[in-house]
């Protein structure tokens, strides 16, 4: 089928996620055709280095035949097996055991979903169940970070704290509340580590005091905020928040959908600070995007309380048709093997340090206010004035220009609406490929800086 025919069909039929529907109808689709390693090629033959690993997920890179073979082998043998009726399949059982081995502490019980959003949704439903069957039905409020992202399900979107996921969807609901993020660059009490940690801890304490601990169920957080602009907290922040949540008698849920599977260095970001959450969500890097799969790891305290206090003989009424799909599980097992035996995790740790160093060289660019990174996860915040941190006016349409110029220069990244560039290269990248990402980024920033509307906005900001 020709590209023109595909574009016409797309305009008429495919409703794209998190898109301006009318805008997409006018713009049309960019059809991706093939990919290998860290590179992806579109239908026009334009090759790009994927500095965003698809959607933070293709951690092992594109084109691993062993993953394809694992999926095909499972499809031939057993393409589907339900988890209902106490049925199961070998790859799903083995994957649950492997994840229990890899996750911190006593997160030994694994519930499978199709992705990150429904892993969060599962956590929220099971938290309600947990408190209801243990005689604490007033604990309903869910706390999360300002700028945090926890999916776009009909429950998780309220835990997400980004305006686009609330506007016209009637969120946040009365149970959703937010606390200060570890945003050092714009922290009103100072950018030092101690000040940033103190601000978040104080905000969490104040919110629990305001609502009453008897009414607060849980605190959700990403170890590094992703879609809210890649906000990298100081070392010690995650541990401080975990300890505060425990002291306040609220569950601590780590959302490792983005940060899991080597994205920040260790297999899970919680490991870096010895944090064991009550629950942990994961997806994305679990299958490296080769098949849909998410998971919720549940600690012993919560699991045992639900198992022992649920109505006798009745089910815990939560489940999906494709929970623990055997093909996705087979894919995940091979991806996990590649992380460990295939050297992908070790490569990501080595190259992640190099990535942080090379990105830091962009700090001298006139548009760059801050570069922040942890491993192969980074954000570059752009400003009109470095001294005041003033943003460019929305009329300059900086995100649109950034993405368009980046694509033309052969590099894919996330251009957030608030003038932040998000980066998450595959863990398989070499130093040379990191150099290519950084050089193409600098070229993109130079191109955008030369645009008349951007140059005018910069002059106006500095004159003010």
């Amino acid at each position: 089928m020709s590209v023109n025919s595909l574009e016409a069909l797309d305009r008429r039929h495919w409703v794209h996620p998190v898109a301006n529907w009318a805008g997409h109808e006018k713009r049309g689709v960019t059809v991706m055709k093939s990919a290998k390693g860290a590179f992806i090629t579109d239908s026009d033959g334009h090759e790009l280095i994927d500095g965003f690993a698809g959607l933070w997920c293709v951690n092992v890179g594109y084109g691993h035949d062993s993953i394809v073979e694992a999926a095909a082998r499972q499809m031939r043998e057993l393409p589907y097996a339900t988890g209902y009726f106490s049925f199961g399949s070998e790859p799903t059982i083995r994957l649950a055991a492997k994840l229990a081995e890899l996750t911190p502490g006593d997160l030994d019980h694994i519930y499978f979903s199709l992705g990150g959003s429904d892993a969060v949704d599962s956590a929220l439903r099971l938290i309600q169940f947990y408190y209801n069957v243990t005689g604490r039905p007033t604990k309903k409020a869910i706390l999360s970070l300002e700028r945090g992202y926890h999916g776009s399900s009909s429950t998780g979107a309220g835990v997400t704290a980004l305006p686009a996921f609330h506007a016209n969807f009637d969120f946040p609901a009365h149970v959703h509340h937010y606390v200060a993020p570890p945003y050092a660059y714009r922290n009103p009490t100072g950018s030092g580590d101690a000040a940033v940690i103190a601000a978040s801890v104080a905000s969490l304490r104040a919110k629990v005091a305001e609502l009453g601990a008897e009414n607060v169920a849980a605190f959700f957080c990403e170890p590094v905020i992703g879609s809210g602009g890649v906000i990298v907290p100081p070392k010690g922040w995650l541990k401080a928040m975990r300890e505060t949540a425990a002291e306040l008698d609220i569950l601590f849920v780590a959302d490792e959908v983005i940060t899991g599977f080597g994205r920040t260095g260790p297999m899970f970001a919680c490991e870096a600070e010895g944090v064991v959450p009550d629950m942990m969500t994961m997806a994305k890097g679990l299958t490296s995007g080769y098949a849909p799969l998410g998971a919720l790891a549940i600690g012993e305290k919560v699991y045992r309380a639900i198992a022992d206090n649920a109505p006798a003989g009745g089910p815990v009424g939560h489940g999906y048709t494709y929970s623990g799909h055997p093909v996705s599980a087979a894919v995940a097992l091979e991806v996990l093997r590649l992380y460990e035996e295939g050297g992908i995790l070790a490569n990501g740790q080595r190259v992640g340090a190099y990535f942080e160093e090379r990105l830091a060289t962009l700090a001298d660019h006139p548009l760059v206010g801050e570069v922040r990174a942890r491993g192969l996860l980074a954000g570059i915040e752009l400003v009109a004035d470095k001294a005041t941190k003033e943003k460019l006016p929305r009329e300059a349409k900086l995100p649109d220009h950034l993405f368009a110029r980046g694509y033309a220069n052969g590099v894919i990244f996330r251009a957030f609406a608030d003038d932040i560039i998000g980066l998450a290269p595959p863990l398989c990248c070499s130093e040379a490929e990191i150099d290519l990402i950084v050089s193409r980024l600098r070229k993109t920033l130079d191109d955008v800086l030369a645009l008349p509307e951007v140059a005018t906005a910069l002059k106006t900001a500095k004159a003010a």
Side-chain angles (χ1 to χ4, degrees):
M1 183 175 286
S2 72
V3 174
N4 287 341
S5 297
L6 287 172
E7 289 177 352
L9 288 173
D10 179 89
R11 281 191 171 94
R12 286 200 298 269
H13 301 298
W14 187 5
V15 180
H16 284 248
V18 194
N20 180 287
W21 292 7
H24 178 76
E25 286 179 336
K26 294 174 185 175
R27 179 196 183 279
V29 68
T30 301
V31 179
M32 297 306 184
K33 188 71 173 175
S34 63
K36 186 70 175 175
F39 294 88
I40 189 164
T41 303
D42 68 19
S43 56
D44 293 325
H46 183 44
E47 186 182 72
L48 308 104
I49 189 163
D50 188 356
F52 205 64
L55 197 67
W56 333 78
C57 59
V58 189
N59 288 8
V60 302
Y62 299 93
H64 282 278
D65 289 338
S66 65
I67 301 175
V68 177
E69 289 164 5
R73 186 166 53 248
Q74 186 60 44
M75 282 186 171
R76 283 191 293 266
E77 182 177 343
L78 181 68
Y80 175 77
T82 182
Y84 284 58
F85 324 128
S86 291
F87 287 177
S89 67
E90 180 180 346
T92 308
I93 295 166
R94 288 177 52 219
L95 179 60
K98 183 64 176 177
L99 290 175
E101 173 193 322
L102 292 174
T103 50
D106 65 350
L107 293 170
D108 293 335
H109 307 278
I110 311 297
Y111 176 81
F112 289 111
S113 63
L114 279 75
S117 287
D118 52 346
V120 170
D121 185 87
S122 298
L124 289 163
R125 294 202 71 211
L126 292 174
I127 286 167
Q128 286 185 312
F129 195 97
Y130 165 76
Y131 282 117
N132 285 338
V133 299
T134 55
R136 293 168 289 175
T138 64
K139 289 177 80 70
K140 292 289 188 287
I142 302 294
L143 310 185
S144 55
L145 294 171
E146 295 168 5
R147 302 181 72 95
Y149 181 81
H150 302 285
S152 58
S153 70
S154 59
T155 52
V159 186
T160 288
L162 298 174
F165 294 86
H166 292 177
N168 300 309
F169 288 109
D170 297 335
F171 281 125
H174 69 283
V175 295
H176 301 138
H177 304 271
Y178 311 109
V179 302
Y183 195 179
Y185 186 61
R186 297 186 183 276
N187 182 37
T189 61
S191 61
D193 290 359
V196 172
I197 293 171
S200 281
V201 168
S203 183
L204 178 58
R205 288 187 183 281
K207 185 58 67 174
V208 173
E210 174 193 333
L211 298 171
E214 72 279 7
N215 299 317
V216 180
F219 170 64
F220 280 66
C221 73
E222 301 162 273
V224 175
I225 292 175
S227 294
V230 192
I231 309 299
V232 180
K235 301 284 177 63
W237 175 86
L238 191 68
K239 186 174 183 179
M241 296 301 276
R242 203 285 175 255
E243 290 174 349
T244 303
E247 180 189 329
L248 296 170
D249 189 30
I250 60 178
L251 295 177
F252 183 87
V253 184
D255 187 335
E256 293 240 26
V257 169
I258 289 173
T259 56
F261 305 102
R263 175 55 57 194
T264 66
M267 186 65 81
F268 294 101
C270 283
E271 294 176 40
E273 296 189 21
V275 166
V276 180
D278 294 299
M279 290 179 164
M280 176 191 288
T281 58
M282 63 193 92
K284 295 192 185 293
L286 175 55
T287 62
S288 220
Y290 281 65
L293 186 65
L296 170 67
I298 306 167
E300 185 67 21
K301 177 182 77 172
V302 175
Y303 175 83
R304 196 74 263 153
I306 291 175
D308 293 346
N309 292 283
V316 176
H318 179 67
Y320 306 126
T321 299
Y322 298 114
S323 296
H325 195 285
V327 177
S328 293
V331 166
L333 284 168
E334 176 57 18
V335 168
L336 292 177
R337 189 192 71 79
L338 289 172
Y339 285 132
E340 296 183 315
E341 297 175 24
I344 297 289
L345 184 67
N347 187 76
Q349 291 167 350
R350 179 177 57 82
V351 174
Y354 183 73
F355 179 61
E356 291 184 33
E357 293 173 8
R358 293 289 290 117
L359 271 188
T361 65
L362 295 175
D364 65 353
H365 195 278
L367 283 173
V368 173
E370 182 181 51
V371 178
R372 43 187 181 255
R374 181 162 296 165
L376 285 164
L377 181 59
I380 303 173
E381 185 156 351
L382 307 183
V383 294
D385 188 299
K386 289 176 181 274
T388 65
K389 303 178 185 178
E390 180 185 346
K391 294 275 191 180
L392 276 78
R394 296 298 295 272
E395 304 82 66
K397 297 183 177 179
L398 186 58
D400 294 343
H401 292 308
L402 282 168
F403 190 83
R405 293 310 309 159
Y407 197 91
N409 289 327
V411 59
I412 296 174
F413 51 78
R414 184 85 171 264
F416 292 110
D418 55 353
D419 303 348
I420 296 171
I421 292 172
L423 292 156
L427 275 63
C428 65
C429 280
S430 65
E431 284 91 342
E433 288 165 342
I434 294 300
D435 288 340
L436 189 62
I437 291 171
V438 174
S439 65
R440 290 182 178 181
L441 266 174
R442 184 174 285 277
K443 173 69 164 60
T444 297
L445 291 170
D446 289 343
D447 289 350
V448 170
L449 183 63
L451 293 171
E453 57 267 51
V454 174
T456 298
L458 284 174
K459 288 178 183 176
T460 302
K462 288 174 181 175

